[in-house]
Amino acid sequence: MFYSNKSQLSSVCYTIKQELKNKFQSFYGGAVVHENPTLLNKIYTELYITEVLGGEVNNQHEIRQIETVFRRAVTEDRPINCNNIFKPLLGQDLPIRTVLTKGIAGVGKTVSVQKFILDWTEGKANQDIHLIFPLPFRELNLLKYKIFSLKDLLQFSMGTKQLEISPNEGKIIFIFDGLDECRLSLDFQNNARLCDVTKSASVDVLLTNLIVGNLLPSALIWITSRPAAADLIPSECVDRVTEVRGFSDPQKEEYFRKRIRDQTLANKIISHLKSSRSLYIMCHIPVFCWISATVLEKMLNGEESGEIPKTLTQMYTHFLTLQINFIRTAELSEMTLVLLGSYCCYKSLTGKTILGRKVFSRRRSEDNLKEKGEVAGRKLTVVYTPGFEKDYLIGNTLEKAKLNILRSVTEQSSGTHAFILVQSVDSSFAEEEKSALEKIMEPLGENVWKHTLVVFAVGDELETLP
């Protein structure tokens, strides 16, 4: 467990739980261009998850696996509820420490993780767990060349320096989502053995020792992956292999009835999909259900014209057209701006100028802050990022800043339209700050500078604004 004293432990656990709840309670759909978020609990439909007997990993092409799913007899399966992923089934006695969950793209692995965490934060399941640490491989990739102790890595990832480690107390879960996106070597054979949570090593070495059980052997590990990458984890390190199979036929219908408020329209959509064998089979993949609902809702209620799609090609073509139109509309009606700059460069006052009201405190923040408003009839989101002074952006803080910049783009429903670099006219832009800024923006590529504006702020004048 992680603590300094019981009262601080309770406070830290509560804070982490609330932050995870806020992060995972919303659902954005399944595409790069998101719809307006809805509460996950309102749209979530239970997924069909099974235990893979013998722990074998299927390396077939994903399309072949879709066909296999529908040839397999239901009686062969051993269904398992997502919240019971670490609990032995009837007749199983051995404890389960490490679970590997595989599934094809879009089948619901990440949403399963999201729901598992949300149910825990809301007190609905797994209340014997003290803390959950979600560490997506997509974010761990940014730390590939950095050195941490496990304690430092968790403090960095969770945004708090109040965590202390005692390896033998408290039940915790590490969730590593998206093994197929991993850019770490995960060299289980040659990586150094590490048992001390305070000793520093590369993130790759920390992960392999955590999965093997050298670090925090009592901690539970949940890894998700597309099938082709699942064998990156040695079979002897895995106690249970599960497969997210998507939706069963009843779950398909349940999804559309939750997704479409007009139940008459929902029935029409279900009937249309059932009339096409290829479309209905593909609906076992949740992301395809989302695509179909997005297209058919607009076409059957008259918002979009044209022939109603009856084939996969037609469905994808209509969906692509809708997304292009959505992007054009979003660009006209909604905008996200990201404020960059050192701590004392008047970013908060610039935000006040843009939104026309006082926003963002001038205290230091290690995480992005966000405020919404409306300017000239356009919805506007302003994201305030932490500062990057040379004395503040050192060591791990630089990587945290990179992560914040990446999140400022990926977590916005309409995408990010522009970055605003705020520079005080009262101070020079030092070479150290320029270097830090370039490193922070590195994950977004060279083209990001084409979408970056520089604002020179005069503090005294900004302070006098109403």
Side-chain angles (χ1 to χ4, degrees), residues 70-88:
F70 289 92
R71 293 197 186 110
R72 188 185 303 162
V74 175
T75 53
E76 298 175 15
D77 296 334
R78 301 187 71 178
I80 185 168
N81 183 279
C82 178
N83 282 326
N84 298 332
I85 205 87
F86 288 99
K87 297 175 182 177

Side-chain angles (χ1 to χ4, degrees), residues 25 68 79 81 89 262 274 369 375:
Q25 66 184 349
T68 302
N81 183 279
L89 296 175
D262 183 340
K274 284 184 173 180
L369 305 174
V375 178

Side-chain angles (χ1 to χ4, degrees), residues 189-439:
Q189 289 189 339
N190 299 312
N191 277 355
R193 179 183 174 87
L194 187 67
C195 300
D196 188 341
V197 294
T198 65
K199 296 294 184 182
S200 296
S202 68
V203 173
D204 179 70
V205 170
L206 292 179
L207 260 60
T208 54
N209 279 279
L210 191 58
I211 293 170
V212 167
N214 296 330
L215 283 172
L216 296 181
S218 62
L220 304 180
I221 309 291
W222 187 10
I223 304 167
T224 72
S225 178
R226 289 169 69 168
D231 57 3
L232 291 176
I233 307 298
S235 58
E236 60 269 21
C237 296
V238 178
D239 300 307
R240 165 179 280 169
V241 177
T242 63
E243 180 182 6
V244 180
R245 300 263 295 277
F247 291 149
S248 63
D249 286 354
Q251 289 167 341
K252 295 174 188 178
E253 295 194 24
E254 180 186 350
Y255 172 84
F256 287 109
R257 297 190 197 284
K258 286 184 175 180
R259 171 69 171 74
I260 309 296
R261 292 182 181 178
D262 183 340
Q263 292 303 293
T264 301
L265 182 58
N267 289 334
K268 289 182 180 178
I269 290 174
I270 293 168
S271 296
H272 176 76
L273 291 169
K274 284 184 173 180
S275 69
S276 168
R277 184 174 180 275
S278 61
L279 293 182
Y280 196 60
I281 286 177
M282 283 297 291
C283 278
H284 97 278
I285 304 176
V287 74
F288 187 80
C289 285
W290 176 79
I291 289 172
S292 300
T294 301
V295 171
L296 295 177
E297 182 179 19
K298 292 184 178 297
M299 299 201 75
L300 291 175
N301 68 11
E303 289 184 39
E304 297 288 332
S305 59
E307 183 181 354
I308 297 175
K310 297 178 181 179
T311 67
L312 293 175
T313 300
Q314 290 172 352
M315 186 68 78
Y316 285 129
T317 301
H318 279 280
F319 177 72
L320 180 59
T321 301
L322 286 176
Q323 293 302 290
I324 292 171
N325 292 336
F326 179 85
I327 292 171
R328 290 171 178 168
T329 302
E331 287 175 347
L332 294 174
S333 64
E334 188 172 353
M335 177 175 283
T336 297
L337 305 176
V338 177
L339 298 177
L340 307 170
S342 63
Y343 172 65
C344 297
C345 74
Y346 309 117
K347 289 201 301 291
S348 61
L349 295 173
T350 303
K352 174 183 175 182
T353 303
I354 294 170
L355 291 173
R357 68 178 192 276
K358 188 173 182 179
V359 292
F360 310 123
S361 66
R362 297 186 68 178
R363 62 179 174 81
R364 288 184 187 268
S365 172
E366 292 187 1
D367 296 296
N368 295 337
L369 305 174
K370 185 164 60 175
E371 291 284 349
K372 292 180 178 290
E374 188 169 313
V375 178
R378 173 181 288 183
K379 293 179 181 178
L380 188 64
T381 298
V382 178
V383 180
Y384 176 104
T385 61
F388 52 80
E389 301 95 320
K390 65 177 181 179
D391 61 331
Y392 179 50
L393 250 186
I394 57 175
N396 297 340
T397 313
L398 176 60
E399 299 309 313
K400 180 73 172 179
K402 282 186 179 182
L403 198 56
N404 279 324
I405 290 297
L406 187 63
R407 286 172 174 169
S408 75
V409 175
T410 60
E411 294 182 356
Q412 308 312 313
S413 60
S414 62
T416 295
H417 295 80
F419 293 89
I420 297 179
L421 174 60
V422 184
Q423 173 63 30
S424 170
V425 296
D426 301 324
S427 61
S428 61
F429 190 62
E431 187 64 33
E432 293 90 343
E433 290 180 309
K434 176 177 178 291
S435 176
L437 178 63
E438 289 174 344
K439 290 177 181 177

Side-chain angles (χ1 to χ4, degrees), residues 9 46 63 65 81 103 111 115 126 223 225 257 285 368 436:
L9 166 64
E46 192 72 36
I63 295 299
Q65 291 186 49
N81 183 279
V111 174
K115 179 62 172 170
N126 293 301
I223 304 167
S225 178
R257 297 190 197 284
I285 304 176
N368 295 337

Side-chain angles (χ1 to χ4, degrees), residues 124-163:
K124 296 177 180 177
N126 293 301
Q127 293 308 288
D128 57 330
I129 296 169
H130 289 273
L131 283 174
I132 294 178
F133 295 102
L135 299 171
F137 279 103
R138 184 179 296 180
E139 294 184 1
L140 291 173
N141 290 338
L142 297 175
L143 310 177
K144 181 176 181 178
Y145 301 108
K146 298 301 172 182
I147 302 298
F148 292 93
S149 68
L150 181 60
K151 170 185 171 181
D152 291 338
L153 175 62
L154 295 177
Q155 289 181 343
F156 169 78
S157 299
M158 304 309 292
T160 176
K161 296 187 180 299
Q162 299 181 31
L163 294 176

Side-chain angles (χ1 to χ4, degrees), residues 16-82:
I16 290 177
K17 259 192 173 183
Q18 287 302 114
E19 289 178 351
L20 290 176
K21 179 180 179 180
N22 293 337
K23 180 176 181 179
F24 291 108
Q25 66 184 349
S26 296
F27 179 73
Y28 287 92
V32 175
V33 179
H34 298 305
E35 299 171 321
N36 292 327
T38 187
L39 292 178
L40 177 64
N41 285 332
K42 287 187 175 181
I43 193 69
Y44 180 78
T45 303
E46 192 72 36
L47 289 156
Y48 192 55
I49 304 175
T50 64
E51 183 174 43
V52 179
L53 298 179
E56 72 272 11
V57 173
N58 187 348
N59 289 316
Q60 281 183 305
H61 190 280
E62 292 187 1
I63 295 299
R64 293 295 182 191
Q65 291 186 49
I66 293 173
E67 296 172 356
T68 302
V69 164
F70 289 92
R71 293 197 186 110
R72 188 185 303 162
V74 175
T75 53
E76 298 175 15
D77 296 334
R78 301 187 71 178
I80 185 168
N81 183 279
C82 178

